[in-house]
Amino acid sequence: MPELVDVVVVGGGVMGVCLAYELARRTLRVALLEAYALGSGVTGSGFAWLNATSKTESDERYFQLNAEALKRYERLALEHKAENLGIHSGGTLYWARSSQPQQIAMLRRRADRLQALGYPYSMVSSGDMEILEPLVRFRPPNESVEGLFAPADKWAEPLRLIRFLANHARNHNAIIKEYCPIESFHTDTLGKVSMVRAGGAEYATRSVVLAAGLQTPALIQLLTSNPQATQAVPIKQVPGILADTAPQSAEGQARRVLYPPDTGGLHFRPTATGGLLVGADDTDALAMEGSLDAKRLNEIGRSLLVRANDWLPQLALKEAAQGMSAYLCMRSVPQDDYPIVGALPGVNGVYVAVTHSGLTLAPLLAHLLAEEIMLKQMPPQLAPYRPDRFL
Ligand SMILES: Cc1cc2nc3c(=O)[nH]c(=O)nc-3n(C[C@H](O)[C@H](O)[C@H](O)COP(=O)(O)OP(=O)(O)OC[C@H]3O[C@@H](n4cnc5c(N)ncnc54)[C@H](O)[C@@H]3O)c2cc1C
């Protein structure tokens, strides 16, 4: 006998899990089907910075969507406690040196935009910054620095977050299946989705959400047998490289997400186990150039630690480098960089939810899409992000 469910969610990354959580708490019966373990896609290996401050150059609606998503996290934390969710507040600190007028100008421009957009921030002196981050070397001799502190930004432990939300959904009657890849979809004579087969079981349903990141177009193809249908969800793969140091190797070195005045876009933050997570825009660009073997990735990881050490002079570099893992991961980025959320044109009852900045946006996008599925009405905030804009 097939299991009767209101909604099947495909994909156990942050997007799918947040959806299962939002649907289950609205008393819908949900089955979340994940091909591997929860979080084994991009979700488990990103930088997990929850922020709006990096989006000041995007369009205003998108900036406000991110700002609203941070408020959603605050509500989640009020309800479930930040430590249970693996959410770390502390904000983001950017700074620039007086010897680099271009960087000072960029910092001030970011501040002007944040002011215009109504997002909390303050300009901070080197004295303030030393209080925020006592172990960081902000100021080279004979130079002054300017800082921008955005207290509403956060960072997350993605696996802790999604495991907590998945358990909560389970407690609200959701079926959460890992190692359960989709085998087939079925539609009725009117073209409405009717059943999903996965992991040897059948789920009878009237609604399916595809939240499978990079694999979403392949699932649309499986569902429709029509390569053209995948045009509604054009996704590019954008690689990123992160260096993650061993537990306790950088205890207390950084207390929040830090953006020093590094021309290559270096950024780092603490990890929950007392390590450091480091990335940079210029090393991400190296990954675009071609395949990297383990040795090259390790060299890149070490170079990221050396750069972080410029700002964290007390970091025990040798120890940090010893247990470091450097890895490459593919972002699933919609072609125009904005989320793709809503009904898939052409197949009744099927929705898609794919986005970049998914750690930041998933709780809010999932809340909005759950409202839509429940009320059969599109929330206005989702209007710019519909799949049919690509057709
Ligand atoms: C280097 C890097 C840094 C990043 N930094 C940030 C950041 O600082 N802040 C931020 O907000 N975002 C960041 N991101 C992006 C963020 O991690 C992603 O947007 C988010 O994790 C996407 O979640 P998702 O659930 O859509 O996709 P995924 O996590 O990829 O989940 C999709 C799931 O679908 C499953 N699946 C696929 N096919 C099937 C199938 N046939 N059957 C069943 N299941 C299937 C997969 O196994 C996978 O678990 C970063 C990404 C990278 C790579």
Side-chain angles (χ1 to χ4, degrees):
M1 275 287 281
E3 192 82 49
L4 279 179
V5 294
D6 295 307
V7 187
V8 169
V9 176
V10 183
V14 68
M15 195 67 236
V17 170
C18 286
L19 261 164
Y21 166 85
E22 290 290 344
L23 292 164
R25 66 185 299 169
R26 287 168 174 77
T27 69
L28 293 182
R29 174 107 164 111
V30 185
L32 180 141
L33 310 174
E34 161 57 47
Y36 302 98
L38 293 182
S40 57
V42 191
T43 295
S45 41
F47 191 66
W49 176 32
L50 314 178
N51 80 95
T53 53
S54 69
K55 287 120 184 173
T56 48
E57 300 299 319
S58 310
D59 82 33
E60 183 168 345
R61 276 182 312 202
Y62 183 66
F63 178 90
Q64 297 300 359
L65 190 78
N66 283 269
E68 183 70 29
L70 287 160
K71 290 191 185 140
R72 195 88 212 149
Y73 268 105
E74 272 152 30
R75 287 179 58 170
L76 276 177
L78 265 183
E79 192 172 342
H80 302 298
K81 293 205 171 94
E83 59 270 31
N84 292 332
L85 293 162
I87 303 301
H88 299 258
S89 45
T92 305
L93 182 60
Y94 299 82
W95 70 98
R97 291 167 160 186
S98 56
S99 64
Q100 294 166 341
Q102 211 185 344
Q103 288 190 356
I104 294 274
M106 273 171 61
L107 191 81
R108 290 183 186 165
R109 179 174 159 75
R110 196 186 297 277
D112 289 346
R113 291 288 298 146
L114 292 174
Q115 172 81 33
L117 292 160
Y119 194 72
Y121 80 97
S122 54
M123 297 306 286
V124 284
S125 66
S126 56
D128 298 330
M129 289 195 279
E130 280 156 15
I131 293 168
L132 287 169
E133 292 288 347
L135 299 188
V136 173
R137 178 171 54 201
F138 291 103
R139 194 161 33 152
N142 308 321
E143 249 198 82
S144 63
V145 286
E146 267 183 44
L148 186 162
F149 176 48
D153 290 355
K154 308 177 196 314
W155 61 271
E157 295 167 62
L159 295 182
R160 179 183 282 235
L161 173 72
I162 64 171
R163 283 180 192 143
F164 181 92
L165 295 179
N167 272 335
H168 197 276
R170 256 188 213 109
N171 294 339
H172 285 75
N173 211 19
I175 302 167
I176 310 276
K177 291 269 184 194
E178 297 179 272
Y179 301 96
C180 185
I182 298 300
E183 290 154 14
S184 58
F185 295 102
H186 301 264
T187 48
D188 64 16
T189 47
L190 298 173
K192 186 163 171 72
V193 72
S194 58
M195 182 144 72
V196 179
R197 271 206 184 89
E202 290 179 339
Y203 300 86
T205 188
R206 304 306 280 162
S207 301
V208 170
V209 185
L210 304 177
L214 286 172
Q215 297 307 315
T216 305
L219 286 167
I220 295 173
Q221 163 81 43
L222 179 69
L223 178 75
T224 61
S225 307
N226 173 9
Q228 299 226 315
T230 62
Q231 286 173 5
V233 187
I235 299 176
K236 51 190 179 188
Q237 300 190 16
V238 180
I241 299 172
L242 291 171
D244 190 359
T245 72
Q248 273 103 51
S249 60
E251 197 80 73
Q253 293 289 320
R255 297 179 172 180
R256 54 187 45 75
V257 176
L258 296 177
Y259 264 82
D262 172 289
T263 47
L266 182 79
H267 45 277
F268 46 90
R269 66 158 174 84
T271 65
T273 56
L276 198 68
L277 189 62
V278 191
D281 300 340
D282 55 1
T283 47
D284 284 0
L286 285 178
M288 298 281 273
E289 285 167 15
S291 66
L292 301 169
D293 60 19
K295 184 165 169 269
R296 181 75 187 111
L297 267 178
N298 201 44
E299 283 166 7
I300 293 173
R302 280 167 179 266
S303 75
L304 286 168
L305 292 190
V306 169
R307 282 161 68 182
N309 190 212
D310 282 346
W311 311 99
L312 301 172
Q314 294 180 45
L315 178 71
L317 192 55
K318 209 169 150 197
E319 196 186 313
Q322 237 164 30
M324 173 201 72
S325 79
Y327 53 87
L328 174 76
C329 189
M330 287 295 170
R331 300 175 176 92
S332 42
V333 182
Q335 195 179 68
D336 61 1
D337 297 334
Y338 293 114
I340 308 176
V341 182
L344 182 70
V347 197
N348 211 337
V350 177
Y351 301 82
V352 293
V354 183
T355 187
H356 179 49
S357 273
L359 249 305
T360 304
L361 290 171
L364 176 64
L365 294 178
H367 161 73
L368 295 170
L369 187 55
E371 286 290 290
E372 173 167 353
I373 292 170
M374 186 89 183
L375 305 175
K376 307 269 177 278
Q377 209 178 353
M378 179 190 67
Q381 271 168 292
L382 288 183
Y385 307 118
R386 311 303 279 175
D388 57 11
R389 73 183 184 273
F390 294 107
L391 299 179

